[in-house]
Coordinates of all heavy atoms in Angstrom, one line a residue:
M96 N -8.3 5.8 26.5 CA -7.9 6.5 25.1 C -6.9 5.8 24.6 O -5.8 6.0 25.1 CB -7.9 7.9 25.3 CG -7.7 8.7 23.9 SD -9.2 8.5 22.7 CE -8.5 9.2 21.3
S97 N -7.0 5.2 23.5 CA -5.8 4.6 22.9 C -6.1 4.3 21.3 O -7.3 4.3 20.9 CB -5.3 3.3 23.5 OG -5.6 2.2 22.7
L98 N -5.1 4.2 20.5 CA -5.3 4.0 19.1 C -5.2 2.5 18.7 O -5.3 2.1 17.7 CB -4.1 4.8 18.3 CG -4.2 6.2 18.5 CD1 -3.0 6.8 17.7 CD2 -5.5 6.8 17.9
S99 N -5.2 1.7 19.9 CA -4.9 0.3 19.6 C -6.1 -0.4 19.0 O -6.0 -1.7 18.6 CB -4.5 -0.5 20.9 OG -5.6 -0.3 21.8
N100 N -7.2 0.3 18.8 CA -8.4 -0.4 18.4 C -8.5 -0.2 16.8 O -9.5 -0.6 16.2 CB -9.6 0.2 19.0 CG -9.9 1.5 18.8 OD1 -9.0 2.3 18.3 ND2 -11.0 2.1 19.1
S101 N -7.5 0.4 16.1 CA -7.7 0.5 14.7 C -7.4 -0.7 14.1 O -6.6 -1.6 14.6 CB -6.6 1.6 14.3 OG -5.3 1.0 14.4
C102 N -8.0 -1.0 13.0 CA -7.9 -2.3 12.5 C -6.6 -2.6 11.9 O -6.0 -1.7 11.3 CB -9.1 -2.5 11.3 SG -9.4 -1.2 10.4
P103 N -6.1 -3.9 11.9 CA -4.8 -4.2 11.4 C -4.6 -3.9 9.9 O -3.5 -3.6 9.4 CB -4.7 -5.7 11.7 CG -6.1 -6.1 11.9 CD -6.9 -5.0 12.3
G104 N -5.7 -3.9 9.2 CA -5.4 -3.7 7.7 C -5.2 -2.3 7.5 O -4.4 -1.9 6.5
A105 N -5.7 -1.4 8.2 CA -5.4 0.1 8.0 C -4.1 0.4 8.6 O -3.6 1.5 8.2 CB -6.6 0.9 8.7
R106 N -3.7 -0.4 9.6 CA -2.5 0.0 10.2 C -1.3 0.2 9.2 O -0.5 1.1 9.4 CB -2.1 -1.0 11.3 CG -0.9 -0.6 12.1 CD -0.6 -1.8 13.1 NE 0.8 -1.5 13.7 CZ 0.8 -0.8 14.8 NH1 -0.2 -0.1 15.3 NH2 2.0 -0.6 15.4
T107 N -1.1 -0.7 8.3 CA 0.0 -0.7 7.3 C -0.2 0.6 6.5 O 0.8 1.0 5.8 CB 0.0 -1.8 6.4 OG1 -1.2 -2.0 5.8 CG2 0.3 -3.0 7.2
I108 N -1.4 1.1 6.4 CA -1.7 2.3 5.5 C -1.4 3.6 6.4 O -0.8 4.5 5.9 CB -3.1 2.4 5.0 CG1 -3.5 1.1 4.3 CG2 -3.3 3.6 4.1 CD1 -2.6 0.8 3.1
R109 N -1.9 3.6 7.6 CA -1.7 4.7 8.5 C -0.2 4.8 8.9 O 0.3 6.0 9.1 CB -2.6 4.5 9.8 CG -4.0 4.8 9.3 CD -4.9 4.2 10.5 NE -4.7 5.0 11.7 CZ -5.6 5.8 12.1 NH1 -6.8 5.9 11.5 NH2 -5.4 6.5 13.2
E110 N 0.4 3.7 9.1 CA 1.8 3.8 9.6 C 2.6 3.0 8.6 O 3.0 1.7 8.8 CB 2.0 3.1 10.9 CG 1.2 3.9 12.0 CD 1.2 3.0 13.2 OE1 2.1 2.4 13.6 OE2 0.2 3.4 14.0
P111 N 3.0 3.6 7.4 CA 3.7 2.7 6.3 C 5.1 2.2 6.8 O 5.7 3.0 7.6 CB 3.8 3.8 5.2 CG 2.9 4.9 5.5 CD 2.8 4.8 7.0
T112 N 5.3 1.0 6.4 CA 6.6 0.5 6.7 C 7.2 0.0 5.5 O 6.5 -0.5 4.5 CB 6.5 -0.9 7.6 OG1 5.5 -1.6 7.1 CG2 5.9 -0.3 9.0
P113 N 8.6 0.0 5.3 CA 9.2 -0.3 4.1 C 9.3 -1.9 4.0 O 9.5 -2.5 5.0 CB 10.6 0.3 4.1 CG 10.7 0.5 5.5 CD 9.4 0.8 6.2
E114 N 9.2 -2.5 3.0 CA 9.4 -3.9 2.8 C 10.4 -4.1 1.5 O 10.4 -3.3 0.7 CB 8.1 -4.6 2.5 CG 7.2 -4.7 3.7 CD 5.8 -5.2 3.2 OE1 5.8 -6.2 2.5 OE2 4.8 -4.8 3.8
Y115 N 11.0 -5.2 1.6 CA 12.0 -5.5 0.6 C 11.5 -6.6 -0.2 O 11.3 -7.8 0.3 CB 13.4 -5.6 1.1 CG 13.8 -4.3 1.7 CD1 13.7 -4.0 3.0 CD2 14.5 -3.4 0.9 CE1 14.1 -3.0 3.5 CE2 15.0 -2.2 1.4 CZ 14.7 -2.0 2.9 OH 15.1 -0.8 3.3
I116 N 11.3 -6.6 -1.5 CA 10.9 -7.6 -2.4 C 11.7 -7.7 -3.5 O 12.5 -6.7 -3.9 CB 9.4 -7.6 -2.8 CG1 9.3 -6.3 -3.8 CG2 8.5 -7.4 -1.5 CD1 7.9 -6.2 -4.3
D117 N 11.8 -8.8 -4.3 CA 12.5 -9.1 -5.5 C 11.6 -8.6 -6.7 O 10.5 -9.0 -6.8 CB 12.9 -10.5 -5.7 CG 13.9 -10.9 -4.6 OD1 14.7 -10.1 -4.2 OD2 13.8 -12.2 -4.5
C118 N 12.1 -7.8 -7.5 CA 11.3 -7.2 -8.6 C 11.1 -8.3 -9.5 O 12.0 -9.2 -9.9 CB 12.2 -6.2 -9.3 SG 11.5 -5.7 -10.9
P119 N 9.9 -8.5 -9.9 CA 9.5 -9.5 -10.9 C 10.0 -9.5 -12.2 O 9.9 -10.4 -13.1 CB 8.0 -9.6 -10.8 CG 7.7 -8.2 -10.4 CD 8.6 -7.7 -9.5
H120 N 10.5 -8.2 -12.5 CA 11.0 -8.0 -14.0 C 12.5 -8.3 -14.0 O 12.9 -8.9 -15.0 CB 10.7 -6.6 -14.4 CG 9.3 -6.2 -14.2 ND1 8.3 -6.8 -15.0 CD2 8.6 -5.4 -13.2 CE1 7.0 -6.3 -14.6 NE2 7.2 -5.5 -13.6
C121 N 13.3 -7.7 -13.1 CA 14.6 -7.9 -13.1 C 15.3 -8.7 -12.0 O 16.5 -9.0 -12.0 CB 15.4 -6.6 -13.2 SG 15.1 -5.5 -11.8
G122 N 14.5 -9.1 -11.0 CA 14.9 -9.9 -10.0 C 15.8 -9.1 -8.9 O 16.2 -9.8 -8.0
R123 N 16.0 -8.0 -9.0 CA 16.7 -7.3 -8.0 C 15.9 -6.7 -6.9 O 14.7 -6.6 -7.0 CB 17.5 -6.0 -8.6 CG 18.7 -6.4 -9.5 CD 19.6 -5.2 -9.8 NE 19.4 -4.9 -11.1 CZ 20.2 -3.8 -11.7 NH1 21.1 -3.4 -11.0 NH2 20.0 -3.4 -12.9
E124 N 16.5 -6.6 -5.7 CA 15.8 -6.2 -4.6 C 15.3 -4.7 -4.7 O 16.2 -3.9 -4.9 CB 16.6 -6.5 -3.3 CG 15.7 -6.4 -2.0 CD 16.5 -6.7 -0.9 OE1 17.5 -5.9 -0.4 OE2 16.3 -7.8 -0.3
I125 N 14.1 -4.5 -4.3 CA 13.6 -3.2 -4.4 C 12.9 -2.9 -3.0 O 12.4 -3.8 -2.3 CB 12.7 -2.8 -5.6 CG1 11.4 -3.7 -5.6 CG2 13.5 -3.0 -6.8 CD1 10.4 -3.3 -6.5
E126 N 12.8 -1.7 -2.7 CA 12.1 -1.2 -1.4 C 10.7 -0.8 -1.9 O 10.5 0.1 -2.7 CB 12.8 0.0 -0.8 CG 12.2 0.3 0.5 CD 12.9 1.6 1.1 OE1 12.7 2.8 0.6 OE2 13.8 1.5 1.9
V127 N 9.6 -1.4 -1.1 CA 8.3 -0.9 -1.5 C 7.7 -0.4 0.0 O 8.1 -1.1 1.0 CB 7.5 -2.0 -2.0 CG1 8.0 -2.4 -3.5 CG2 7.5 -3.3 -1.2
W128 N 6.9 0.5 -0.1 CA 6.2 0.9 1.2 C 4.8 0.3 1.3 O 4.2 0.2 0.2 CB 6.1 2.5 1.2 CG 7.6 3.0 1.5 CD1 8.4 3.2 0.6 CD2 7.9 3.3 2.8 NE1 9.6 3.6 1.4 CE2 9.3 3.7 2.7 CE3 7.5 3.4 4.0 CZ2 10.1 4.2 3.8 CZ3 8.2 3.9 5.3 CH2 9.6 4.2 4.9
S129 N 4.4 0.0 2.4 CA 3.2 -0.8 2.6 C 2.0 0.0 2.2 O 1.0 -0.6 1.9 CB 3.0 -1.1 4.1 OG 3.0 0.0 5.0
D130 N 2.1 1.4 1.9 CA 0.9 2.1 1.6 C 1.0 2.5 0.0 O 0.2 3.2 -0.5 CB 0.7 3.3 2.4 CG 1.9 4.5 2.1 OD1 3.0 3.9 1.8 OD2 1.6 5.7 2.2
E131 N 2.0 1.9 -0.5 CA 2.1 2.1 -2.0 C 2.0 0.9 -2.6 O 2.9 -0.1 -2.9 CB 3.6 2.6 -2.3 CG 3.9 4.1 -1.8 CD 3.1 5.1 -2.4 OE1 2.6 4.9 -3.5 OE2 3.1 6.2 -1.9
P132 N 0.7 0.6 -3.2 CA 0.4 -0.7 -3.9 C 1.1 -0.8 -5.3 O 1.3 -1.8 -5.7 CB -1.2 -0.7 -4.0 CG -1.5 0.7 -4.1 CD -0.5 1.4 -3.1
L133 N 1.5 0.3 -5.7 CA 2.2 0.3 -7.0 C 3.4 1.0 -7.0 O 3.5 2.2 -6.6 CB 1.2 1.1 -8.2 CG 1.4 0.7 -9.7 CD1 1.2 -0.8 -9.9 CD2 0.3 1.5 -10.3
T134 N 4.5 0.3 -7.3 CA 5.9 0.9 -7.2 C 6.7 0.6 -8.5 O 6.3 -0.2 -9.2 CB 6.6 0.2 -6.1 OG1 6.0 0.3 -4.9 CG2 8.0 0.9 -6.0
R135 N 7.5 1.7 -8.9 CA 8.2 1.5 -10.1 C 9.6 1.1 -9.6 O 10.3 1.8 -8.8 CB 8.3 2.9 -10.9 CG 8.9 2.7 -12.1 CD 8.9 4.0 -13.0 NE 7.4 4.3 -13.5 CZ 6.9 3.7 -14.7 NH1 7.7 2.9 -15.3 NH2 5.8 4.0 -14.9
C136 N 10.1 0.0 -10.3 CA 11.5 -0.4 -9.9 C 12.5 0.6 -10.5 O 12.5 1.0 -11.6 CB 11.6 -1.8 -10.6 SG 13.4 -2.4 -10.5
P137 N 13.4 0.9 -9.5 CA 14.3 2.0 -9.8 C 15.5 1.4 -10.7 O 16.3 2.0 -11.3 CB 15.0 2.3 -8.4 CG 14.8 1.1 -7.5 CD 13.4 0.5 -8.1
H138 N 15.6 0.1 -10.9 CA 16.6 -0.6 -11.8 C 16.1 -0.7 -13.0 O 16.8 -0.3 -14.0 CB 16.9 -1.9 -11.1 CG 17.3 -1.9 -9.6 ND1 18.5 -1.3 -9.2 CD2 16.7 -2.4 -8.6 CE1 18.5 -1.3 -7.9 NE2 17.6 -2.0 -7.5
C139 N 14.9 -1.4 -13.4 CA 14.5 -1.6 -14.7 C 13.3 -0.8 -15.1 O 12.8 -0.8 -16.2 CB 14.1 -3.2 -14.9 SG 12.6 -3.6 -13.9
R140 N 12.8 0.1 -14.2 CA 11.7 1.0 -14.4 C 10.4 0.3 -14.7 O 9.5 0.8 -15.0 CB 11.9 2.0 -15.7 CG 13.2 2.7 -15.7 CD 13.6 3.4 -14.4 NE 12.7 4.6 -14.3 CZ 12.6 5.3 -13.2 NH1 13.3 4.9 -12.1 NH2 11.9 6.2 -13.1
G141 N 10.4 -1.1 -14.3 CA 9.1 -1.8 -14.5 C 8.2 -1.5 -13.3 O 8.6 -1.3 -12.3
L142 N 6.9 -1.7 -13.6 CA 5.8 -1.4 -12.6 C 5.7 -2.6 -11.7 O 5.5 -3.8 -12.2 CB 4.6 -0.9 -13.2 CG 4.5 0.5 -13.5 CD1 3.1 0.7 -14.2 CD2 4.6 1.4 -12.3
V143 N 5.8 -2.5 -10.4 CA 5.7 -3.7 -9.6 C 4.3 -3.4 -8.7 O 4.3 -2.5 -7.9 CB 6.9 -3.8 -8.7 CG1 6.8 -5.0 -7.7 CG2 8.1 -3.9 -9.5
L144 N 3.6 -4.5 -8.8 CA 2.3 -4.4 -8.0 C 2.5 -5.3 -6.8 O 2.6 -6.4 -6.9 CB 1.1 -4.9 -9.0 CG -0.3 -4.7 -8.3 CD1 -0.6 -3.2 -8.1 CD2 -1.3 -5.5 -9.2
Q145 N 2.3 -4.7 -5.7 CA 2.4 -5.4 -4.5 C 1.2 -6.3 -4.4 O 0.1 -6.0 -4.4 CB 2.4 -4.5 -3.3 CG 3.7 -4.0 -3.0 CD 3.7 -3.5 -1.5 OE1 3.9 -4.3 -0.6 NE2 3.7 -2.2 -1.3
S146 N 1.4 -7.6 -4.1 CA 0.4 -8.6 -4.0 C -0.1 -8.5 -2.6 O 0.6 -8.7 -1.5 CB 0.8 -10.1 -4.4 OG 1.8 -10.4 -3.5
R147 N -1.3 -8.2 -2.4 CA -1.9 -8.2 -1.1 C -3.3 -8.8 -1.0 O -4.0 -8.7 -2.1 CB -2.0 -6.8 -0.4 CG -2.9 -5.8 -1.3 CD -3.0 -4.5 -0.6 NE -1.7 -3.8 -0.8 CZ -1.1 -3.1 0.3 NH1 -1.7 -3.2 1.5 NH2 0.0 -2.5 0.2
G148 N -3.5 -9.4 0.0 CA -4.9 -10.1 0.0 C -6.0 -9.1 0.2 O -5.7 -7.8 0.2
A149 N -7.2 -9.6 0.2 CA -8.4 -8.7 0.4 C -8.2 -7.8 1.6 O -7.8 -8.3 2.8 CB -9.6 -9.5 0.5
S150 N -8.4 -6.6 1.5 CA -8.2 -5.7 2.7 C -9.5 -5.3 3.3 O -10.5 -5.1 2.6 CB -7.4 -4.4 2.1 OG -7.5 -3.5 3.2
C151 N -9.4 -5.0 4.6 CA -10.7 -4.5 5.2 C -11.1 -3.2 4.6 O -12.2 -2.8 4.7 CB -10.4 -4.3 6.7 SG -9.1 -3.2 7.2
L152 N -10.0 -2.5 4.0 CA -10.5 -1.2 3.3 C -11.3 -1.3 2.1 O -12.0 -0.4 1.7 CB -9.1 -0.5 2.8 CG -8.2 -0.1 3.9 CD1 -6.9 0.4 3.4 CD2 -8.8 0.8 4.9
D153 N -11.4 -2.6 1.6 CA -12.2 -2.8 0.5 C -13.8 -2.8 0.9 O -14.6 -2.6 0.0 CB -12.0 -4.3 -0.2 CG -10.6 -4.2 -0.9 OD1 -10.2 -3.0 -1.2 OD2 -9.9 -5.2 -1.0
W154 N -14.0 -3.2 1.9 CA -15.5 -3.3 2.5 C -15.8 -2.6 3.8 O -17.0 -2.4 4.0 CB -15.8 -4.8 2.6 CG -14.8 -5.6 3.5 CD1 -13.8 -6.4 3.2 CD2 -14.9 -5.5 4.9 NE1 -13.0 -6.8 4.3 CE2 -13.8 -6.3 5.6 CE3 -15.7 -4.8 6.0 CZ2 -13.5 -6.6 6.8 CZ3 -15.4 -5.0 7.4 CH2 -14.2 -5.9 7.7
C155 N -14.8 -2.1 4.4 CA -15.1 -1.5 5.7 C -15.8 -0.1 5.4 O -15.3 0.7 4.7 CB -14.0 -1.2 6.5 SG -14.3 -0.4 8.1
P156 N -17.0 0.1 6.0 CA -17.7 1.6 5.8 C -17.0 2.4 6.4 O -17.2 3.8 6.1 CB -19.1 1.3 6.5 CG -18.8 0.2 7.4 CD -17.8 -0.8 6.9
H157 N -16.1 2.4 7.4 CA -15.4 3.4 8.0 C -13.9 3.6 7.3 O -13.1 4.3 8.0 CB -15.2 3.2 9.5 CG -16.5 2.9 10.1 ND1 -17.4 3.9 10.3 CD2 -16.9 1.8 10.7 CE1 -18.5 3.4 10.9 NE2 -18.3 2.2 11.2
A158 N -13.5 3.0 6.2 CA -12.3 2.8 5.7 C -11.9 4.4 5.3 O -10.7 4.7 5.6 CB -12.3 2.1 4.5
A159 N -12.8 5.2 4.9 CA -12.5 6.5 4.5 C -12.0 7.4 5.7 O -11.0 8.1 5.6 CB -13.6 7.2 3.7
E160 N -12.7 7.3 6.9 CA -12.3 7.9 7.9 C -11.0 7.3 8.5 O -10.2 8.1 9.3 CB -13.4 7.7 9.0 CG -14.7 8.3 8.7 CD -15.8 7.6 9.6 OE1 -15.6 7.6 10.9 OE2 -16.9 7.3 9.2
C161 N -10.9 6.1 8.3 CA -9.7 5.3 8.9 C -8.3 5.7 8.4 O -7.5 6.2 9.1 CB -9.9 3.8 8.8 SG -9.1 2.8 9.9
V162 N -8.3 5.8 7.0 CA -7.0 6.1 6.4 C -7.1 7.4 5.8 O -6.0 8.0 5.2 CB -6.6 5.0 5.4 CG1 -6.4 3.6 6.2 CG2 -7.6 4.9 4.3
G163 N -8.2 8.0 5.6 CA -8.3 9.2 4.8 C -8.9 9.0 3.3 O -8.5 8.0 2.7
L164 N -9.8 9.9 3.0 CA -10.5 9.4 1.7 C -9.6 9.6 0.6 O -9.6 8.8 -0.3 CB -11.7 10.6 1.6 CG -12.5 10.4 0.3 CD1 -13.1 8.9 0.3 CD2 -13.6 11.5 0.2
E165 N -8.6 10.5 0.7 CA -7.8 10.7 -0.5 C -6.9 9.4 -0.8 O -6.8 8.9 -1.8 CB -6.9 11.9 -0.3 CG -6.1 12.4 -1.5 CD -5.3 13.6 -1.2 OE1 -5.7 14.5 -0.4 OE2 -4.1 13.6 -1.6
K166 N -6.4 8.9 0.3 CA -5.5 7.8 0.3 C -6.3 6.5 0.0 O -5.9 5.6 -0.9 CB -4.8 7.5 1.7 CG -3.5 6.8 1.5 CD -2.7 7.0 2.9 CE -1.3 7.2 2.6 NZ -0.4 7.3 3.7
L167 N -7.5 6.4 0.4 CA -8.3 5.3 0.0 C -8.8 5.3 -1.5 O -8.5 4.3 -2.0 CB -9.7 5.4 0.8 CG -10.7 4.3 0.6 CD1 -10.1 3.0 1.2 CD2 -12.0 4.6 1.3
Q168 N -9.0 6.4 -2.0 CA -9.3 6.5 -3.5 C -8.0 6.2 -4.4 O -8.1 5.4 -5.3 CB -9.7 7.8 -3.9 CG -11.3 8.1 -3.3 CD -11.8 9.6 -3.5 OE1 -10.8 10.3 -3.8 NE2 -13.0 9.7 -3.7
R169 N -6.9 6.5 -3.8 CA -5.7 6.2 -4.5 C -5.4 4.8 -4.5 O -5.0 4.1 -5.6 CB -4.5 7.0 -3.9 CG -3.2 6.9 -4.7 CD -2.3 8.1 -4.2 NE -1.9 8.0 -2.8 CZ -0.7 7.4 -2.3 NH1 0.0 6.8 -3.2 NH2 -0.5 7.3 -1.1
L170 N -5.6 4.1 -3.3 CA -5.4 2.6 -3.3 C -6.4 2.0 -4.1 O -6.0 0.9 -4.8 CB -5.5 2.2 -1.8 CG -4.5 2.6 -0.9 CD1 -4.9 2.5 0.5 CD2 -3.1 1.9 -1.3
R171 N -7.6 2.3 -4.1 CA -8.6 1.6 -4.9 C -8.3 1.8 -6.4 O -8.6 0.9 -7.2 CB -9.9 2.2 -4.6 CG -10.6 1.6 -3.3 CD -11.8 2.0 -2.9 NE -12.3 1.3 -1.7 CZ -13.4 1.7 -0.9 NH1 -14.0 2.7 -1.3 NH2 -13.8 1.0 0.0
R172 N -7.9 3.0 -6.8 CA -7.7 3.2 -8.2 C -6.3 2.3 -8.7 O -6.5 1.8 -9.7 CB -7.2 4.7 -8.4 CG -7.5 5.2 -9.8 CD -7.7 6.8 -9.8 NE -6.4 7.4 -9.1 CZ -6.7 8.1 -8.1 NH1 -7.9 8.5 -7.8 NH2 -5.6 8.8 -7.6
A173 N -5.5 2.3 -7.8 CA -4.3 1.5 -8.0 C -4.7 0.0 -8.4 O -4.1 -0.8 -9.1 CB -3.1 1.6 -7.2
G174 N -5.6 -0.4 -7.6 CA -6.1 -1.8 -7.6 C -7.0 -2.2 -8.8 O -6.9 -3.3 -9.2
S175 N -7.7 -1.1 -9.3 CA -8.6 -1.5 -10.3 C -8.1 -1.3 -11.8 O -8.6 -2.0 -12.6 CB -9.8 -0.5 -10.2 OG -9.5 0.8 -10.2
D176 N -7.1 -0.4 -12.0 CA -6.6 -0.5 -13.4 C -5.1 0.0 -13.2 O -4.5 0.2 -12.1 CB -7.3 0.8 -14.2 CG -7.3 2.1 -13.6 OD1 -6.1 2.5 -13.3 OD2 -8.2 2.7 -13.4
G177 N -4.5 -0.2 -14.4 CA -3.0 -0.2 -14.2 C -2.5 1.0 -15.0 O -1.3 1.0 -15.3
Ligands
ZN82 ZN1 13.2 -4.4 -11.9

């Protein structure tokens, strides 16, 4: 019994980690969490969309069970409209 078989794409959602990126609007460093595809820059209030490749959550039939339906819907909504 172990959790090591969870897919890597879901891992960043289930176990969010902070990342530091440069705001595309003002150039200052901001903290973004791996489970937050859309972040508002605290400096310039601009919306920052994390660029991420195609995720297994987009096509995996078990995605809802994997990260939770609520979170999955939030992620999909953030990716489809702004
Ligand atoms: Zn900014």
Side-chain angles (χ1 to χ4, degrees):
M96 183 65 191
S97 105
L98 295 175
S99 63
N100 62 349
S101 66
C102 43
R106 185 182 170 83
T107 59
I108 308 299
R109 292 164 64 108
E110 299 171 24
T112 54
E114 290 173 35
Y115 296 89
I116 64 172
D117 293 333
C118 173
H120 306 291
C121 68
R123 286 198 255 187
E124 190 178 70
I125 62 171
E126 182 186 80
V127 295
W128 285 81
S129 57
D130 69 333
E131 295 287 348
L133 204 57
T134 304
R135 189 174 287 278
C136 173
H138 305 296
C139 70
R140 313 305 292 168
L142 280 177
V143 181
L144 186 65
Q145 281 199 73
S146 60
R147 63 175 70 229
S150 164
C151 61
L152 299 177
D153 291 333
W154 51 261
C155 180
H157 303 294
E160 303 166 37
C161 201
V162 301
L164 184 59
E165 195 178 317
K166 206 160 225 185
L167 181 65
Q168 287 176 334
R169 188 159 62 94
L170 289 169
R171 285 184 171 164
R172 206 163 47 239
S175 59
D176 62 50

